[in-house]
Amino acid sequence: MEAEEKDRLKHYLDDEGRVKRWPSRKNRQDQPLILQYLASQFTAGKVYNESEVNIILKQNHTFEDWALLRRELFEQGYINRSTNGAEYWLTGKTKLY
């Protein structure tokens, strides 16, 4: 992660490293940065159920909208899921730090 990206990311994190707000439409370009950060909280090669995904997201943000984050992670290609939504996993798009 470049220094500029780290500075932008810090703007969205609290002192404990949790995402404190979702970037507004005006700052839409920062959404992938947040999604990448959240995706890095998952383990490559591990399959998660929806409840496990929600727990990780709840632990890593403070604005109480884990469904938005889960949906965005999936729709933007950072995680994938089975057709019935029972299993989730990281995709190749995710950079691991």
Side-chain angles (χ1 to χ4, degrees):
M1 183 179 283
E2 296 177 22
E4 178 187 336
E5 288 178 328
K6 285 183 181 181
D7 287 340
R8 286 182 17 230
L9 179 61
K10 284 181 186 178
H11 181 72
Y12 294 98
L13 302 180
D14 68 9
D15 292 337
E16 296 178 33
R18 298 174 299 183
V19 177
K20 58 186 176 183
R21 65 186 177 85
W22 183 243
S24 66
R25 289 180 200 210
K26 183 176 110 178
N27 296 313
R28 179 174 278 156
Q29 74 279 0
D30 291 337
Q31 291 177 0
L33 184 63
I34 300 301
L35 294 173
Q36 183 64 50
Y37 175 74
L38 290 170
S40 74
Q41 306 303 308
F42 294 85
T43 302
K46 181 173 179 177
V47 176
Y48 298 87
N49 64 40
E50 186 174 313
S51 177
E52 292 169 321
V53 171
N54 290 343
I55 288 169
I56 291 170
L57 294 175
K58 287 176 187 179
Q59 292 171 341
N60 288 285
H61 87 290
T62 63
F63 58 90
E64 298 297 317
D65 198 349
W66 57 89
L68 164 81
L69 298 173
R70 188 183 63 241
R71 185 173 53 250
E72 288 294 324
L73 283 165
F74 171 70
E75 289 179 359
Q76 299 306 316
Y78 291 92
I79 61 174
N80 206 345
R81 68 177 183 209
S82 59
T83 53
N84 65 0
E87 296 180 327
Y88 293 78
W89 58 91
L90 288 175
T91 67
K93 179 177 180 176
T94 305
K95 298 179 203 168
L96 301 175
Y97 303 104

